[in-house]
Amino acid sequence: MMNELPLDQVRTLLAVVDEGTFDAAAAALHVTPSAVSQRVKALEQRTGRVLLQRTKPVRPTDSGAVLVRYARQLARLERDARDELGMSGAGEPTRVSVAVNADSLSTWFLDALTEVPGLSFELRREDEDHTAALLREGLVMAAVTGSAEPVPGCSVRPLGRLRYLPVAAPELAARLPSGPLAEALGALPVMVFDDKDDLQDAFVRGLGGPGAGPVRHYVPTSEGFAQAVARGLGWGMVPESQAEPLLAAGRVVPLAPGRWLDVALYWQQWRLDSPALAALAEAVSATAARALRR
């Protein structure tokens, strides 16, 4: 029937995306490049959609990404079934791929992984506003994300709020000019995690300003970011759990006592009956309940 999705064609599409070229996919599948091309074309005819951008490396179209995600979910279900039937390799752990933002990874997320022994984790670091894209493309099975809108084929649950405090080294804070804080912060250098980091600008906008100042230092690690702030390189929004010991030691001071920025986090995962995913979801939810604000 034309509305069926033959498994060999779906798996071939996944192989092409993962390997990057038709020739490499053919080598991985132990078939000819012609067979790979025919399977992909047959699948495109069945769906009535172009599934691949014929670039180097090839990339899935939006329709292709749907089938790639489906293929990865099928592979996950097959591995779970093999595990339950005792058909996996001796001692072979179940692998779970997860996208997580850097600050969660540095503050609370690793504690959750220790609650689920026997799994093999593949973590991908990405900004919380962009982790959902990795789910949508089927590159990960679950994600800590800033989006409450579920990715198609995924379930979502709230985790809590990660609080950020605006702080700076005492010597830098002493350079704040008088006047409204939104304007004064624009005169100080600011720390930024990467080009996707909007926290500092969002905080200043919340004060009524246009955003943080033009002198920016980019430090793309959570620990390095906090240490750069403590060393006076620039002010920044530091996770509460990282800021508190620095505040207690006098290495940083609050720039706006009583003000902060909370980022809501959610757990999204494939909607599959997978014991590994279920166990991880429970561990993540329980750890977040202890570490994050409600």
Side-chain angles (χ1 to χ4, degrees):
M1 296 176 61
M2 287 301 291
N3 60 351
E4 292 180 345
L5 297 173
L7 293 183
D8 63 328
Q9 295 176 8
V10 172
R11 286 168 172 160
T12 298
L13 178 72
L14 177 60
V16 173
V17 171
D18 283 348
E19 299 298 330
T21 67
F22 283 70
D23 288 345
L29 296 172
H30 305 291
V31 298
T32 65
S34 176
V36 170
S37 179
Q38 290 173 9
R39 290 178 189 177
V40 172
K41 288 179 180 177
L43 189 57
E44 289 180 324
Q45 290 172 353
R46 280 180 176 273
T47 59
R49 293 172 172 82
V50 175
L51 301 176
L52 291 176
Q53 301 175 25
R54 268 65 171 183
T55 55
K56 287 189 177 181
V58 299
R59 293 184 56 82
T61 62
D62 289 344
S63 297
V66 173
L67 290 181
V68 167
R69 185 172 66 246
Y70 169 63
R72 295 195 195 282
Q73 291 173 341
L74 283 178
R76 172 74 269 159
L77 288 172
E78 181 179 350
R79 284 195 294 271
D80 285 347
R82 290 173 64 87
D83 288 343
E84 291 187 37
L85 293 171
M87 297 174 62
S88 298
E92 180 182 342
T94 299
R95 175 174 293 185
V96 181
S97 54
V98 182
V100 59
N101 60 306
D103 289 331
S104 290
L105 188 59
S106 296
T107 55
W108 66 272
F109 188 76
L110 292 179
D111 290 338
L113 303 190
T114 65
E115 300 296 323
V116 199
L119 299 182
S120 173
F121 297 107
E122 179 184 352
L123 303 183
R124 299 189 59 160
R125 183 191 60 76
E126 184 55 272
D127 183 87
E128 65 271 8
D129 291 330
H130 298 270
T131 50
L134 299 180
L135 267 177
R136 192 172 295 110
E137 296 170 13
L139 295 175
V140 295
M141 302 160 60
V144 175
T145 173
S147 175
E149 183 68 25
V151 170
C154 293
S155 61
V156 60
R157 67 170 77 178
L159 293 175
R161 295 178 178 272
L162 185 58
R163 177 161 294 182
Y164 290 82
L165 304 180
V167 296
E171 60 272 21
L172 183 65
R175 291 167 45 191
L176 269 174
S178 59
L181 183 60
E183 297 177 8
L185 286 176
L188 292 185
V190 62
M191 301 305 306
V192 183
F193 188 88
D194 58 22
D195 289 334
K196 299 174 184 175
D197 179 11
D198 187 54
L199 283 178
Q200 286 69 221
D201 289 305
F203 181 76
V204 177
R205 289 196 299 268
L207 296 174
V215 180
R216 300 179 174 223
H217 303 296
Y218 292 80
V219 178
T221 71
S222 186
E223 297 87 349
F225 183 100
Q227 289 302 314
V229 171
R231 283 170 168 77
L233 196 59
W235 76 273
M237 304 298 295
V238 177
E240 185 177 34
S241 62
Q242 289 180 323
E244 285 179 338
L246 296 174
L247 287 164
R251 298 186 62 196
V252 300
V253 295
L255 293 175
R259 300 196 66 130
W260 53 77
L261 194 62
D262 283 353
V263 175
L265 298 177
Y266 302 85
W267 176 254
Q268 293 206 36
Q269 67 178 64
W270 290 350
R271 197 178 291 118
L272 294 179
D273 185 15
S274 168
L277 267 181
L280 178 59
E282 290 304 316
V284 168
S285 183
T287 303
R290 298 190 296 267
L292 302 179
R293 291 182 172 268
R294 291 293 175 181

